[in-house]
Amino acid sequence: MAQWNIVRTSDAVWLAPGEPREIESDLVSRFQEEYGRAASGTWFAPGRANLNGEHIDFHAGRCLPLALAHGTYVAAAPRTDSQLRMRTLDASLDDGVSTVALDQIGPAAPHAESPDPSEVAELPTGDAEHWSHYVTGVLWALRELGRTQPEFQLEAGFGADILVISTLPIGGGLSSSAALECAAMMAFVALGTPLGLQNPLQDLNAALTRENRKQLAAACVRAEVEFVGAGTGGLDQTIAMRARPGKVLSLDCRDFTVQPLDIGCILRGYRLIAVDTGEAHRLADGKFGDRRADAEAAAHLLGFTRLRDALPEKPRKADVTHVLEEFDRLAEQLESLDGRSIPACRRRLRHALTEMVRSEKLHHLLSGEAYGVRHVTSTVGDILTAGHMSMRDDAEVSFEVADLIVETALAHGAEGARLIGGGFGGSVLVLISPAAIPRLSAAFERISRNIRLLDVVPSAAAHAL
Ligand code: ADP
Ligand code: MG
């Protein structure tokens, strides 16, 4: 995948987050060339890493994400003719300007069951996989939000010209989709809603309350789930909209409350790096949805609408064993679960439950409640690695290169390593001492020439530049 922000050092290939002011100035001049007018501003939203909590946001579990310095920039200017024109500068996706007539996009959820044909969204290119759906979906979701929240009510006839550039790998498990959604959302709020129009760009960052950011993240989730049709559970959009610099967010997906936790205690003398395997995934295809459906079938058998409720408030390993025994008892006489393999559903269940226990453990550790743990970093590392084994053996979403990267990282002295994101491609998060990185990155080069490293520095949420 062509990436413009590649930095080659003697021992590795890094993806740099770039200098925001330089990226902005370049983007704004390309906007002028593309649309023949000036951009009104530039907005940024970060990608993310996740210490734990993969495939459990949609089960109302706890996740521990942090925002990257890498992310997606959107330059935009408003229109008054209900047209949305958009172009991406990502070399692998760029096919010129896509135009959508926003008044063709109906009020009903476009992917709702048995939709009224008159209310179905008009798709920009007839290609349901086209990247521009993420952006159109965001504007659709903001319009829906504006129906109940006057401060987000879009001006009649609102449309926009937008230009996108990203310092993230696309489809690399670092949430380029949510970064695109949240950057576009910030642009649309700034240019088309009362909240944005009453506040100059810089002030908007301060004017958005925590509650506003929560609502906007939820609208971005609607865009991805209902408009694009991808199975996201809200983790990615929440961290992109609500991150805090220097912190991990402990996100409880039961009600989307967040608690910022200090990460300094694990990074003292250590670094987190994301290893982009160069194997991009597509979450919208069947496999991700399949894994989720397996786990939901298991939840259904146990009598829960969300799996988090199968565990007590402070879950432990023994609680997982107990739920699995209950599952075995209920499944004993059955041949399948809603047509799904029972052993497979049990493995998905075990991943979700153990992942939830790992999240609670991490929350406990990072919030300083775990007195007496002397080696916080190595304990966190062990949790990372256990998370990978669960992604590999139970969720079954890992792949050869990711497994090799984890093994190689551990063999080179990493404290821990795990696949992050939805899987079937994507990135591995590694916790390691800086001194070990040169030898490790040389070893990665021998696994695949497509590997890229990203420094994981806990960064800020979506904002206007
Ligand atoms: P991830 O979020 O892990 O990077 P996804 O499969 O969820 O992977 O999202 C990737 C998709 O998001 C791309 O295929 C594209 O449709 C869209 N996308 C993300 N970033 C950009 C970008 N900079 N320009 C255009 N489309 C993008
Ligand atoms: Mg995504």
Side-chain angles (χ1 to χ4, degrees):
M1 192 193 317
Q3 188 85 29
W4 57 276
N5 53 321
I6 284 178
V7 179
R8 285 174 201 283
T9 64
S10 57
D11 47 55
V13 182
W14 291 84
L15 279 187
E19 186 45 58
R21 287 294 162 202
E22 280 170 24
I23 296 169
E24 179 197 17
S25 126
D26 187 41
L27 188 62
V28 162
S29 54
R30 289 166 95 160
F31 186 98
Q32 176 77 43
E33 282 164 31
E34 183 64 51
Y35 295 108
R37 64 189 189 120
S40 307
T42 302
W43 293 265
F44 170 84
R48 61 101 170 135
N50 191 20
L51 293 182
N52 199 77
E54 295 297 355
H55 285 248
I56 59 168
D57 53 351
F58 43 74
H59 295 309
R62 184 185 295 282
C63 309
L64 289 120
L66 56 154
L68 303 177
H70 305 66
T72 299
Y73 296 75
V74 166
R79 302 177 62 90
T80 53
D81 59 0
S82 298
Q83 297 251 319
L84 181 56
R85 298 197 296 175
M86 45 204 151
R87 180 167 186 182
T88 177
L89 295 176
D90 180 78
S92 64
L93 293 167
D94 181 18
D95 56 359
V97 174
S98 295
T99 303
V100 189
L102 294 166
D103 47 13
Q104 307 277 312
I105 294 169
H111 286 272
E113 280 174 28
S114 6
D116 172 345
S118 67
E119 292 187 341
V120 172
E122 191 82 358
L123 303 178
T125 61
D127 169 6
E129 305 241 304
H130 199 262
W131 71 271
S132 58
H133 286 278
Y134 287 88
V135 179
T136 312
V138 165
L139 195 44
W140 166 80
L142 179 58
R143 202 169 65 188
E144 294 294 303
L145 178 64
R147 292 183 201 284
T148 53
Q149 297 285 126
E151 70 268 40
F152 291 127
Q153 195 176 5
L154 282 165
E155 301 248 286
F158 177 76
D161 290 338
I162 81 162
L163 192 63
V164 178
I165 196 162
S166 187
T167 54
L168 291 164
I170 312 290
L174 302 176
S175 192
S176 70
S177 58
L180 174 59
E181 290 153 15
C182 295
M185 179 61 93
M186 294 294 283
F188 297 147
V189 167
L191 299 176
T193 69
L195 192 86
L197 296 170
Q198 285 156 19
N199 288 285
L201 274 200
Q202 293 305 318
D203 297 358
L204 180 66
N205 296 331
L208 282 172
T209 63
R210 286 185 185 156
E211 187 55 29
N212 287 154
R213 284 182 173 272
K214 188 176 181 185
Q215 291 163 336
L216 294 175
C220 289
V221 174
R222 285 198 74 187
E224 189 159 335
V225 173
E226 296 177 45
F227 202 92
V228 177
T232 175
L235 157 64
D236 301 347
Q237 293 78 3
T238 299
I239 186 69
M241 274 292 176
R242 302 170 69 190
R244 307 278 184 84
K247 308 278 180 183
V248 169
L249 282 194
S250 181
L251 162 64
D252 186 337
C253 294
R254 287 179 291 191
D255 55 5
F256 284 86
T257 51
V258 296
Q259 195 176 329
L261 301 177
D262 238 316
I263 194 174
C265 59
I266 53 172
L267 292 185
R268 221 163 286 136
Y270 290 89
R271 256 169 88 182
L272 280 168
I273 55 174
V275 185
D276 170 27
T277 59
E279 299 198 12
H281 62 185
R282 280 288 324 153
L283 284 194
D285 79 3
K287 287 189 264 171
F288 181 84
D290 237 29
R291 297 298 187 272
R292 178 173 176 169
D294 286 344
E296 283 169 351
H300 189 230
L301 179 70
L302 290 163
F304 296 103
T305 49
R306 39 182 221 179
L307 267 181
R308 175 62 183 87
D309 298 332
L311 293 173
E313 190 58 32
K314 290 197 187 298
R316 292 161 177 274
K317 233 172 165 182
D319 298 310
V320 173
T321 308
H322 176 77
V323 176
L324 288 171
E325 282 167 3
E326 177 70 0
F327 177 89
D328 292 339
R329 194 181 61 73
L330 292 165
E332 203 178 351
Q333 306 296 327
L334 304 175
E335 301 222 312
S336 74
L337 275 190
D338 308 336
R340 303 187 158 271
S341 144
I342 289 176
C345 291
R346 189 182 193 276
R347 288 195 294 277
R348 308 314 170 234
L349 173 67
R350 190 166 60 187
H351 168 73
L353 298 175
T354 57
E355 189 81 347
M356 287 177 195
V357 171
R358 282 186 289 276
S359 279
E360 291 308 321
K361 244 187 182 168
L362 267 176
H363 172 92
H364 200 60
L365 268 172
L366 297 178
S367 55
E369 290 166 16
Y371 303 109
V373 177
R374 288 178 49 208
H375 305 289
V376 175
T377 306
S378 68
T379 309
V380 170
D382 291 345
I383 295 174
L384 286 178
T385 306
H388 182 75
M389 300 314 166
S390 184
M391 291 281 266
R392 187 189 68 186
D393 302 335
D394 286 346
E396 293 180 284
V397 298
S398 191
F399 53 101
E400 200 182 344
V401 175
D403 293 339
L404 265 173
I405 287 174
V406 170
E407 275 169 36
T408 307
L410 296 176
H412 284 75
E415 295 295 315
R418 74 167 295 164
L419 176 62
I420 54 173
F424 308 110
S427 298
V428 171
L429 182 67
V430 178
L431 178 60
I432 191 159
S433 97
I437 292 177
R439 275 189 51 234
L440 177 59
S441 47
F444 287 158
E445 283 277 298
R446 293 193 286 276
I447 296 174
S448 158
R449 306 283 303 173
N450 297 327
I451 286 173
R452 308 273 181 267
L453 307 182
L454 293 84
D455 214 354
V456 175
V457 178
S459 298
H463 57 274
L465 267 96

